[in-house]
Amino acid sequence: MTIRAVVWGENIHEQTNAVVAGIYPEGMHATIAAALNEGEGISATTATLQEPEHGLSEARLRETDVLLWWGHKDHGAVSDEVVERVARRVWEGMGLIVLHSGHFSKIFKRLMGTPCALKWREAGERERLWVINPRHPIAAGLEENFVLENEEMYGEQFSVPEPLETVFISWFQGGEVFRSGMTWRRGAGNIFYFRPGHETYPTYRDANVRKVLINAVKWAYNPAGALTSIHEAPNVPVEAALEPIVERGPKLHQAGEAGYR
Amino acid sequence: MTIRAVVWGENIHEQTNAVVAGIYPEGMHATIAAALNEGEGISATTATLQEPEHGLSEARLRETDVLLWWGHKDHGAVSDEVVERVARRVWEGMGLIVLHSGHFSKIFKRLMGTPCALKWREAGERERLWVINPRHPIAAGLEENFVLENEEMYGEQFSVPEPLETVFISWFQGGEVFRSGMTWRRGAGNIFYFRPGHETYPTYRDANVRKVLINAVKWAYNPAGALTSIHEAPNVPVEAALEPIVERGPKLHQAGEAGYR
Amino acid sequence: MTIRAVVWGENIHEQTNAVVAGIYPEGMHATIAAALNEGEGISATTATLQEPEHGLSEARLRETDVLLWWGHKDHGAVSDEVVERVARRVWEGMGLIVLHSGHFSKIFKRLMGTPCALKWREAGERERLWVINPRHPIAAGLEENFVLENEEMYGEQFSVPEPLETVFISWFQGGEVFRSGMTWRRGAGNIFYFRPGHETYPTYRDANVRKVLINAVKWAYNPAGALTSIHEAPNVPVEAALEPIVERGPKLHQAGEAGYR
Amino acid sequence: MTIRAVVWGENIHEQTNAVVAGIYPEGMHATIAAALNEGEGISATTATLQEPEHGLSEARLRETDVLLWWGHKDHGAVSDEVVERVARRVWEGMGLIVLHSGHFSKIFKRLMGTPCALKWREAGERERLWVINPRHPIAAGLEENFVLENEEMYGEQFSVPEPLETVFISWFQGGEVFRSGMTWRRGAGNIFYFRPGHETYPTYRDANVRKVLINAVKWAYNPAGALTSIHEAPNVPVEAALEPIVERGPKLHQAGEAGYR
């Protein structure tokens, strides 16, 4: 079984900033997709902000098992309709991996229900990621910590809901800490946030980072197919009750009427 | 210290449905507020859909410690601006208690990031609520279970995020179960969902239900004041780093520039 | 890769009670192992209380990926040394699936740190298990609920720690509810508790129950190998610090000395 | 209502080590108790390893609302009977606050069900504690971070169960991170682990640390009284079932017989 991953990239700084274009001439999304395609059983393609429907049509999403999201410069340019479409697919069971500055993407804030804010500093300082959950599938094959010599700092408080599990915590040279890898489930969908990946450093060329991305795609993948029933709020009529009951008391709804939404 | 609670009521069925008007002639919101005012240290007032800004102006919310929300017939009539305003206050630390059909309110879905859907049946059947967390503050003073002889059935799957703690699970005569009391934290705000409260039954006149509401308001209250910093994503410049660091490598941002949102 | 499962059975009632012997002439452990061996990629064997070291020698456990535990009549007969040995293997990453009356086994109480008590009634009543987390791997292939026509009742409060995720909640004919499927992680080990399985009913011959057991073994399996470092509390000497630091202030320990335990 | 806190101290290094005796001539337990007694509504006393029953008789524990635990040199000297007695009181609702090297105490390991191991280095390095949950009651009145200029390092992986909530994460000068404040509930009891407190530094004289201890006692306190029923596993006979049921099928137990434990 091949996992169908789509790497969504904003693809702005690669076109407008010489430093970023120098590090990722093919685009960050393409670099990330190439990293995933090194993983056994993963087939990764890309989508970008500039494509029609940002490359995320209903048809495309229906055939996507895991979506990765990198955006930074223009979160507001992503259409609300596409955001809602992605959210629905996550609830149905599509995995979602949110990368770095994607913490402020519409889709992440939509699924977390919180500001998703944090502190930051762009100084090329050293980040050390500690594996605090060493047998979590996302940490497979890693040492107990690994270093990114130059990264942007993100510092707590990171205003997200308490996660299911915390996988990584980062130490920064300038004195901050950050929960750099966390998991949540929303509906049937597995969500993972992974902190590193500032566009002015070659983070997505780092072997440990690439390993995490491959692990995360495998972890987020749900082989059981789309849970489309999650959008429904079905009425169970009295005559269909699992245990025999007799209707009593006053009612708002007539038989067969749908509920209010 | 008095906890300032506001009970928000949709106030439609009380005006349009004879059964509901018969049970709650003063309006469900007024009945609930009266229940809360029996609680020591709580001062409860009301707000309704029909008031300007639905009774939830910036000024009013700033002076609200805990908001209770009951809506059913017309969730769509609540303005998105007010929903966003309430969400911001929850993140700052205002408590939120969502009641019964409020599971489909805009504000609850906004904060959960999931469909919040469920099964339902309006047959006046028996509901038995089990306390599965007997020393949770919200269960103070209750027996190990209590009965509502006539209630609407809500059945699992209830598509909400895994809670911090589950306080109640309901048994229904027709064969379903439901997690009827769950807690979450979003930002600095405590959230509690409480299932019972169908408008065609006198649920909010039940002594146990009233006890739960009082307990929940006390639990949700945060005495520490508004965490307004939660909306910010501050830059920490190199010269203000807690540990001395030297800036290295390329940058996107000029000194003093705000981050992208 | 074949998952090596061991089904541990107390094997007392099968030898002493005619009803149980009639349903499980080969022993419950053998019935459960046969169910697992129907699962692709699982190789299940058995161990019983009566064997030397209860069939759970160091060597055997080292080659066990997932252990299933059924006991009821004589939890006290399990040696503390074997319990500690099993706990250590769970922390290293061995999966553990605790069945029915195993809620009171020494190993489950050891790993939960709570009484693990509950209400019970042996009346052959109907149990309906609701899947409240429909895309959890342990629920793969199930309908939204399934029925066991005759089961022992277990009722809340079930005094266990708040789980990572709740997969099943049971409805009982006599009016109780129970969280019938819950997951925890302890160290590197995945733990699942599954409620049904009273020995006077043919529960382990039920197709849905067998499906859950197979799913649970696959879910609990950790392919990454034993995390033996979890038992250590290593000193990191100053000269091995990841960031250069200078020793300051008074000390208790001499260089190279082990910590207190 | 006054919260009755007991500070348990091992009281060995204060007697045998000149450095520790110099910092805490009255004993660490006495210093901590004095800090708590500065908190409004708290009445703190002490107990030590050397007293009969380690100062924790049944009668004393029955009148204890919150117990604080500091031990390091000789965890093994604490009698298993007292450990079990304390665990039972926690399940009944007594709060427990475990300090620093208490991570390896029998009582903490008993309640966590995991090794509770970690890395360590005694070098007097700088620790910075970040508040990652700024409106948690335990963080009341703190800035977004605070510094202990000289502390022992504790580093991840800290092998404890995933907490209910994480309140503090520490940054260490030598490159490590640590979840320094975490909460759990076990039975009816609230548990908090707080990392700082190495005996060769004056940590318990630090104003922020003292504030955390006072906050933690208030948070852990459960006003609802002892839940003694948590130790029971009651049979609910058929004739006492909440919904009328008819007994069916074979049984193991005779009417009125207790369950197996």
Side-chain angles (χ1 to χ4, degrees), chain D residues 66-126:
Chain D
V66 180
L67 179 65
L68 296 94
W69 195 278
W70 195 100
H72 187 188
K73 178 80 168 65
D74 202 2
H75 296 305
V78 178
S79 95
D80 290 340
E81 191 186 336
V82 169
V83 170
E84 208 57 28
R85 188 186 292 167
V86 172
R88 287 175 63 91
R89 275 291 293 140
V90 171
W91 300 332
E92 290 175 358
M94 182 180 74
L96 179 69
I97 297 168
V98 176
L99 300 171
H100 189 64
S101 43
H103 73 90
F104 259 163
S105 64
K106 285 183 177 179
I107 183 62
F108 190 57
K109 293 192 292 182
R110 174 74 179 87
L111 291 166
M112 295 292 107
T114 56
C116 305
L118 46 79
K119 290 188 181 54
W120 61 281
R121 177 176 54 235
E122 197 188 10
E125 70 201 89
R126 183 154 56 253

Side-chain angles (χ1 to χ4, degrees), chain A residues 169-213:
Chain A
I169 296 180
S170 285
W171 176 101
F172 287 96
Q173 209 179 347
E176 285 87 359
V177 296
F178 198 78
R179 291 168 293 166
S180 284
M182 287 189 272
T183 70
W184 299 267
R185 187 194 293 269
R186 288 293 177 269
N190 295 313
I191 302 176
F192 178 59
Y193 174 79
F194 187 49
R195 199 214 73 81
H198 192 56
E199 60 265 52
T200 62
Y201 316 115
T203 298
Y204 294 116
R205 304 206 178 282
D206 180 85
N208 285 308
V209 168
R210 293 166 85 98
K211 199 175 287 183
V212 170
L213 295 177

Side-chain angles (χ1 to χ4, degrees), chain D residues 156-208:
Chain D
E156 296 276 351
Q157 183 204 8
F158 183 23
S159 49
V160 289
E162 195 75 13
L164 271 188
E165 297 193 83
T166 303
V167 184
F168 302 111
I169 296 179
S170 285
W171 176 101
F172 287 97
Q173 209 180 346
E176 284 88 358
V177 295
F178 197 78
R179 291 168 292 166
S180 283
M182 287 189 271
T183 70
W184 299 265
R185 188 194 293 269
R186 289 292 178 269
N190 295 313
I191 302 175
F192 178 59
Y193 174 80
F194 188 49
R195 198 214 76 80
H198 192 57
E199 60 266 52
T200 62
Y201 317 115
T203 297
Y204 294 115
R205 304 206 179 280
D206 179 86
N208 286 307

Side-chain angles (χ1 to χ4, degrees), chain A residues 43-64:
Chain A
S43 168
T45 54
T46 65
T48 58
L49 177 65
Q50 297 77 22
E51 297 172 39
E53 304 182 71
H54 314 318
L56 300 174
S57 66
E58 284 280 5
R60 179 88 185 273
L61 283 174
R62 219 167 13 241
E63 302 193 340
T64 302

Side-chain angles (χ1 to χ4, degrees), chain C residues 25-67:
Chain C
E26 72 281 35
M28 300 177 79
H29 45 284
T31 306
I32 294 168
L36 296 180
N37 282 319
E38 290 168 7
E40 201 184 348
I42 301 176
S43 169
T45 56
T46 65
T48 58
L49 178 65
Q50 296 78 21
E51 298 172 39
E53 303 182 71
H54 314 316
L56 300 173
S57 66
E58 283 280 5
R60 180 89 184 273
L61 283 174
R62 219 168 13 240
E63 302 194 339
T64 301
D65 296 314
V66 180
L67 179 65

